[in-house]
Amino acid sequence: MRLTLLPKLVALFLVVALVGAVGSAITVMQVNKITENSIVLAEENLPTVQVTNALIINVYGRIGALRGYVATGDEAMLTDFHNRGAENQKIFKALTELAEKSQDKSDITPELQTIAAKYGELIETKVVPLVRSGKRAEAAQILKDETEPIATAFIAKVEEYRKLRETQITEAVNTVAASAGTARRVSVIATTISVFIGLIIGVFTARAISRPAAMLATAARKVADGNLNAVTNYQYPNDEIGDVATAMRAMIRHLRELIQTIQNNAELVAAAS
Protein backbone atom coordinates (compact mmCIF):
# COMPACT_ATOMS: atom_id res chain seq x y z
CA MET A 1 0.00 0.00 0.00
CA ARG A 2 1.47 3.30 -1.07
CA LEU A 3 1.16 6.08 1.48
CA THR A 4 2.33 9.51 0.33
CA LEU A 5 3.66 12.20 2.62
CA LEU A 6 0.43 14.18 2.88
CA PRO A 7 -1.70 11.27 4.15
CA LYS A 8 1.10 10.37 6.56
CA LEU A 9 1.19 13.86 7.98
CA VAL A 10 -2.60 13.99 8.15
CA ALA A 11 -2.71 10.63 9.96
CA LEU A 12 -0.12 11.79 12.50
CA PHE A 13 -2.01 15.03 13.02
CA LEU A 14 -5.22 13.06 13.60
CA VAL A 15 -3.50 11.01 16.31
CA VAL A 16 -2.61 14.18 18.19
CA ALA A 17 -6.08 15.61 17.56
CA LEU A 18 -7.68 12.39 18.83
CA VAL A 19 -5.80 12.59 22.12
CA GLY A 20 -6.86 16.20 22.50
CA ALA A 21 -10.46 15.34 21.59
CA VAL A 22 -10.63 12.56 24.17
CA GLY A 23 -9.29 14.89 26.83
CA SER A 24 -11.75 17.60 25.80
CA ALA A 25 -14.66 15.13 25.84
CA ILE A 26 -13.81 14.01 29.38
CA THR A 27 -13.43 17.63 30.45
CA VAL A 28 -16.83 18.51 28.95
CA MET A 29 -18.40 15.56 30.79
CA GLN A 30 -16.96 16.78 34.07
CA VAL A 31 -18.11 20.34 33.37
CA ASN A 32 -21.63 19.04 32.64
CA LYS A 33 -21.53 17.15 35.92
CA ILE A 34 -20.50 20.33 37.71
CA THR A 35 -23.37 22.19 36.05
CA GLU A 36 -25.92 19.54 37.02
CA ASN A 37 -24.76 19.44 40.63
CA SER A 38 -24.72 23.23 40.79
CA ILE A 39 -28.30 23.36 39.51
CA VAL A 40 -29.42 20.82 42.12
CA LEU A 41 -27.56 22.78 44.78
CA ALA A 42 -29.08 26.12 43.75
CA GLU A 43 -32.62 24.99 42.94
CA GLU A 44 -33.26 22.21 45.46
CA ASN A 45 -30.85 21.84 48.39
CA LEU A 46 -30.26 25.50 49.28
CA PRO A 47 -33.95 26.54 49.02
CA THR A 48 -34.95 23.56 51.17
CA VAL A 49 -32.49 24.53 53.91
CA GLN A 50 -33.65 28.15 53.72
CA VAL A 51 -37.31 27.16 54.03
CA THR A 52 -36.51 24.74 56.85
CA ASN A 53 -34.65 27.46 58.73
CA ALA A 54 -37.64 29.77 58.22
CA LEU A 55 -39.88 27.07 59.70
CA ILE A 56 -37.67 26.71 62.78
CA ILE A 57 -37.64 30.48 63.35
CA ASN A 58 -41.42 30.68 62.90
CA VAL A 59 -42.02 27.77 65.30
CA TYR A 60 -39.93 29.42 68.02
CA GLY A 61 -41.84 32.64 67.43
CA ARG A 62 -45.14 30.80 67.68
CA ILE A 63 -44.12 29.16 70.95
CA GLY A 64 -43.07 32.56 72.29
CA ALA A 65 -46.39 34.12 71.28
CA LEU A 66 -48.28 31.28 73.02
CA ARG A 67 -46.29 31.67 76.24
CA GLY A 68 -46.91 35.42 76.15
CA TYR A 69 -50.61 34.84 75.70
CA VAL A 70 -50.77 32.39 78.61
CA ALA A 71 -48.77 34.74 80.83
CA THR A 72 -50.71 37.93 80.03
CA GLY A 73 -53.99 36.88 78.45
CA ASP A 74 -53.30 39.41 75.66
CA GLU A 75 -55.43 38.46 72.65
CA ALA A 76 -52.87 40.14 70.35
CA MET A 77 -50.44 37.40 71.36
CA LEU A 78 -53.03 34.79 70.41
CA THR A 79 -53.54 36.50 67.04
CA ASP A 80 -49.76 36.39 66.48
CA PHE A 81 -49.85 32.69 67.40
CA HIS A 82 -52.57 32.06 64.78
CA ASN A 83 -50.77 34.13 62.13
CA ARG A 84 -47.60 32.14 62.64
CA GLY A 85 -49.62 28.95 62.35
CA ALA A 86 -50.91 30.14 58.95
CA GLU A 87 -47.34 30.96 57.96
CA ASN A 88 -46.33 27.43 58.92
CA GLN A 89 -48.89 26.06 56.47
CA LYS A 90 -47.32 28.10 53.67
CA ILE A 91 -43.90 26.77 54.64
CA PHE A 92 -45.24 23.19 54.67
CA LYS A 93 -46.57 23.74 51.16
CA ALA A 94 -43.21 25.08 49.98
CA LEU A 95 -41.38 22.09 51.51
CA THR A 96 -43.80 19.69 49.81
CA GLU A 97 -43.27 21.35 46.42
CA LEU A 98 -39.49 21.19 46.82
CA ALA A 99 -39.66 17.53 47.84
CA GLU A 100 -41.83 16.69 44.81
CA LYS A 101 -39.45 18.57 42.51
CA SER A 102 -36.41 16.68 43.79
CA GLN A 103 -38.31 13.39 44.27
CA ASP A 104 -37.04 13.41 47.84
CA LYS A 105 -38.12 10.27 49.70
CA SER A 106 -36.90 11.72 53.02
CA ASP A 107 -39.61 14.42 53.03
CA ILE A 108 -41.03 14.73 56.56
CA THR A 109 -43.59 17.44 55.78
CA PRO A 110 -46.65 15.16 56.31
CA GLU A 111 -45.27 14.09 59.70
CA LEU A 112 -44.63 17.73 60.66
CA GLN A 113 -48.14 18.69 59.62
CA THR A 114 -49.59 15.94 61.80
CA ILE A 115 -47.59 17.11 64.82
CA ALA A 116 -48.52 20.75 64.16
CA ALA A 117 -52.21 19.85 63.87
CA LYS A 118 -52.09 17.96 67.17
CA TYR A 119 -50.33 20.90 68.80
CA GLY A 120 -52.86 23.42 67.46
CA GLU A 121 -55.83 21.32 68.52
CA LEU A 122 -54.47 21.03 72.06
CA ILE A 123 -54.02 24.79 72.27
CA GLU A 124 -57.50 25.59 70.94
CA THR A 125 -59.38 23.01 73.01
CA LYS A 126 -57.56 23.32 76.35
CA VAL A 127 -55.19 26.25 76.68
CA VAL A 128 -57.23 29.06 75.07
CA PRO A 129 -60.46 28.28 76.98
CA LEU A 130 -58.58 28.23 80.30
CA VAL A 131 -56.85 31.54 79.61
CA ARG A 132 -60.10 33.20 78.57
CA SER A 133 -61.79 31.95 81.74
CA GLY A 134 -59.00 33.45 83.84
CA LYS A 135 -57.33 30.15 84.72
CA ARG A 136 -53.92 31.06 83.38
CA ALA A 137 -52.07 28.97 85.99
CA GLU A 138 -53.85 25.84 84.85
CA ALA A 139 -53.20 26.80 81.23
CA ALA A 140 -49.51 27.26 82.04
CA GLN A 141 -49.39 23.80 83.60
CA ILE A 142 -50.96 22.24 80.48
CA LEU A 143 -48.47 24.22 78.42
CA LYS A 144 -45.64 22.69 80.41
CA ASP A 145 -46.94 19.13 80.66
CA GLU A 146 -48.63 18.58 77.29
CA THR A 147 -47.78 21.17 74.66
CA GLU A 148 -44.05 21.65 75.28
CA PRO A 149 -43.18 17.96 74.68
CA ILE A 150 -45.05 18.16 71.38
CA ALA A 151 -43.25 21.37 70.44
CA THR A 152 -39.89 19.86 71.44
CA ALA A 153 -40.54 16.78 69.28
CA PHE A 154 -41.57 19.02 66.39
CA ILE A 155 -38.42 21.14 66.61
CA ALA A 156 -36.21 18.05 66.95
CA LYS A 157 -37.74 16.59 63.80
CA VAL A 158 -37.22 19.84 61.87
CA GLU A 159 -33.61 20.09 63.10
CA GLU A 160 -32.98 16.53 61.99
CA TYR A 161 -34.34 17.35 58.52
CA ARG A 162 -32.28 20.53 58.34
CA LYS A 163 -29.08 18.66 59.23
CA LEU A 164 -29.89 16.07 56.55
CA ARG A 165 -30.24 18.83 53.98
CA GLU A 166 -27.03 20.52 55.13
CA THR A 167 -25.24 17.20 54.73
CA GLN A 168 -26.62 16.93 51.20
CA ILE A 169 -25.37 20.45 50.46
CA THR A 170 -21.91 19.56 51.77
CA GLU A 171 -21.86 16.44 49.61
CA ALA A 172 -23.01 18.40 46.56
CA VAL A 173 -20.32 21.06 47.11
CA ASN A 174 -17.67 18.35 47.54
CA THR A 175 -18.88 16.67 44.34
CA VAL A 176 -18.66 19.94 42.45
CA ALA A 177 -15.17 20.56 43.80
CA ALA A 178 -14.09 17.00 42.93
CA SER A 179 -15.51 17.29 39.41
CA ALA A 180 -13.74 20.61 38.92
CA GLY A 181 -10.47 19.06 40.08
CA THR A 182 -10.94 16.08 37.76
CA ALA A 183 -11.71 18.37 34.82
CA ARG A 184 -8.59 20.40 35.55
CA ARG A 185 -6.38 17.32 35.86
CA VAL A 186 -7.78 15.72 32.69
CA SER A 187 -7.27 18.93 30.77
CA VAL A 188 -3.66 19.25 31.94
CA ILE A 189 -2.91 15.56 31.26
CA ALA A 190 -4.52 15.61 27.81
CA THR A 191 -2.63 18.77 26.88
CA THR A 192 0.65 17.35 28.15
CA ILE A 193 0.17 14.05 26.30
CA SER A 194 -0.83 15.86 23.11
CA VAL A 195 2.25 18.06 23.26
CA PHE A 196 4.49 15.09 24.09
CA ILE A 197 3.08 12.94 21.27
CA GLY A 198 3.24 15.92 18.94
CA LEU A 199 6.94 16.41 19.75
CA ILE A 200 7.72 12.71 19.25
CA ILE A 201 5.80 12.60 15.98
CA GLY A 202 7.46 15.82 14.85
CA VAL A 203 10.94 14.46 15.55
CA PHE A 204 10.32 11.11 13.84
CA THR A 205 8.55 12.76 10.92
CA ALA A 206 11.39 15.22 10.46
CA ARG A 207 13.93 12.39 10.55
CA ALA A 208 11.86 10.23 8.20
CA ILE A 209 11.72 13.05 5.66
CA SER A 210 15.09 14.73 6.14
CA ARG A 211 17.30 11.61 6.16
CA PRO A 212 16.30 10.17 2.75
CA ALA A 213 16.03 13.69 1.33
CA ALA A 214 19.58 14.44 2.49
CA MET A 215 20.83 11.17 0.95
CA LEU A 216 19.15 12.04 -2.34
CA ALA A 217 20.71 15.51 -2.29
CA THR A 218 24.14 13.97 -1.72
CA ALA A 219 23.56 11.46 -4.53
CA ALA A 220 22.44 14.25 -6.88
CA ARG A 221 25.64 16.22 -6.19
CA LYS A 222 27.74 13.11 -6.91
CA VAL A 223 25.89 12.49 -10.17
CA ALA A 224 26.52 16.13 -11.08
CA ASP A 225 30.22 15.47 -10.46
CA GLY A 226 30.08 12.47 -12.83
CA ASN A 227 29.69 9.66 -10.33
CA LEU A 228 26.95 7.44 -11.79
CA ASN A 229 27.10 5.02 -8.87
CA ALA A 230 25.80 7.62 -6.45
CA VAL A 231 22.34 6.17 -5.80
CA THR A 232 22.79 3.19 -3.54
CA ASN A 233 20.41 0.36 -2.77
CA TYR A 234 19.10 2.23 0.29
CA GLN A 235 15.41 1.41 0.86
CA TYR A 236 13.71 4.74 0.34
CA PRO A 237 10.17 5.27 1.71
CA ASN A 238 7.24 4.47 -0.53
CA ASP A 239 6.24 8.10 -1.03
CA GLU A 240 7.26 11.14 -3.06
CA ILE A 241 10.87 10.85 -1.87
CA GLY A 242 10.91 7.24 -3.05
CA ASP A 243 9.51 8.42 -6.41
CA VAL A 244 12.41 10.88 -6.74
CA ALA A 245 14.92 8.13 -5.87
CA THR A 246 13.35 5.80 -8.46
CA ALA A 247 13.41 8.53 -11.10
CA MET A 248 17.06 9.29 -10.31
CA ARG A 249 17.98 5.60 -10.64
CA ALA A 250 16.21 5.50 -14.01
CA MET A 251 18.00 8.67 -15.09
CA ILE A 252 21.40 7.24 -14.11
CA ARG A 253 20.61 4.00 -15.93
CA HIS A 254 19.75 5.93 -19.09
CA LEU A 255 22.91 8.00 -18.73
CA ARG A 256 24.97 4.83 -18.46
CA GLU A 257 23.29 3.38 -21.53
CA LEU A 258 23.85 6.63 -23.39
CA ILE A 259 27.52 6.74 -22.41
CA GLN A 260 27.94 3.08 -23.34
CA THR A 261 26.36 3.76 -26.75
CA ILE A 262 28.65 6.72 -27.30
CA GLN A 263 31.67 4.64 -26.34
CA ASN A 264 30.62 1.82 -28.72
CA ASN A 265 30.13 4.26 -31.58
CA ALA A 266 33.46 5.85 -30.87
CA GLU A 267 35.17 2.46 -31.01
CA LEU A 268 33.45 1.66 -34.34
CA VAL A 269 34.54 4.97 -35.80
CA ALA A 270 38.06 4.38 -34.58
CA ALA A 271 38.13 0.85 -36.06
CA ALA A 272 36.78 2.06 -39.42
CA SER A 273 39.42 4.68 -39.73
Side-chain angles (χ1 to χ4, degrees):
M1 179 179 175
R2 189 174 188 277
L3 192 62
T4 60
L5 283 175
L6 181 59
K8 285 181 180 179
L9 295 175
V10 170
L12 295 174
F13 170 77
L14 289 177
V15 171
V16 178
L18 179 61
V19 174
V22 171
S24 298
I26 296 176
T27 301
V28 169
M29 290 173 60
Q30 293 299 320
V31 171
N32 289 338
K33 188 175 181 180
I34 293 172
T35 303
E36 292 173 1
N37 288 327
S38 299
I39 291 174
V40 171
L41 187 64
E43 296 184 359
E44 297 177 13
N45 292 335
L46 285 177
T48 301
V49 170
Q50 291 170 349
V51 173
T52 304
N53 288 337
L55 177 61
I56 292 174
I57 293 172
N58 197 60
V59 167
Y60 279 117
R62 196 179 189 209
I63 293 172
L66 178 62
R67 287 176 177 173
Y69 172 66
V70 171
T72 65
D74 187 355
E75 289 292 327
M77 294 284 189
L78 182 61
T79 300
D80 185 33
F81 173 80
H82 289 150
N83 290 339
R84 289 182 180 275
E87 184 64 27
N88 279 351
Q89 294 304 315
K90 295 179 181 179
I91 294 175
F92 289 148
K93 182 179 179 182
L95 284 174
T96 300
E97 291 175 350
L98 287 169
E100 290 175 350
K101 181 178 180 180
S102 62
Q103 297 181 345
D104 182 17
K105 296 181 179 179
S106 62
D107 179 33
I108 61 170
T109 305
E111 185 177 355
L112 293 178
Q113 288 177 309
T114 300
I115 297 175
K118 181 180 178 181
Y119 182 80
E121 181 181 2
L122 183 61
I123 298 302
E124 297 298 333
T125 58
K126 290 187 177 182
V127 176
V128 172
L130 287 173
V131 173
R132 285 176 175 171
S133 62
K135 300 177 180 179
R136 292 202 298 271
E138 294 181 26
Q141 191 62 41
I142 291 176
L143 202 67
K144 179 181 179 181
D145 295 341
E146 298 184 40
T147 63
E148 286 189 1
I150 296 175
T152 301
F154 183 90
I155 292 172
K157 184 63 66 174
V158 176
E159 287 285 358
E160 178 185 345
Y161 188 63
R162 181 179 62 83
K163 290 179 181 179
L164 172 63
R165 283 302 186 177
E166 288 179 347
T167 301
Q168 290 175 337
I169 289 177
T170 301
E171 292 174 352
V173 170
N174 291 338
T175 301
V176 169
S179 297
T182 300
R184 182 171 59 252
R185 288 191 297 273
V186 169
S187 180
V188 171
I189 292 173
T191 301
T192 303
I193 292 176
S194 297
V195 171
F196 183 70
I197 293 178
L199 289 174
I200 293 177
I201 290 175
V203 170
F204 279 96
T205 301
R207 290 186 62 184
I209 295 174
S210 62
R211 184 178 179 184
M215 294 185 67
L216 277 177
T218 301
R221 285 192 293 269
K222 290 181 179 180
V223 171
D225 292 337
N227 182 3
L228 299 183
N229 296 316
V231 180
T232 64
N233 292 325
Y234 174 76
Q235 186 65 38
Y236 288 94
N238 189 21
D239 52 25
E240 289 83 353
I241 295 177
D243 291 344
V244 174
T246 301
M248 184 173 289
R249 286 193 182 100
M251 180 189 69
I252 293 174
R253 186 174 63 255
H254 291 313
L255 285 174
R256 286 173 179 167
E257 292 174 355
L258 178 60
I259 292 172
Q260 186 64 44
T261 301
I262 292 173
Q263 289 176 347
N264 292 338
N265 291 336
E267 290 176 357
L268 290 175
V269 171
S273 63

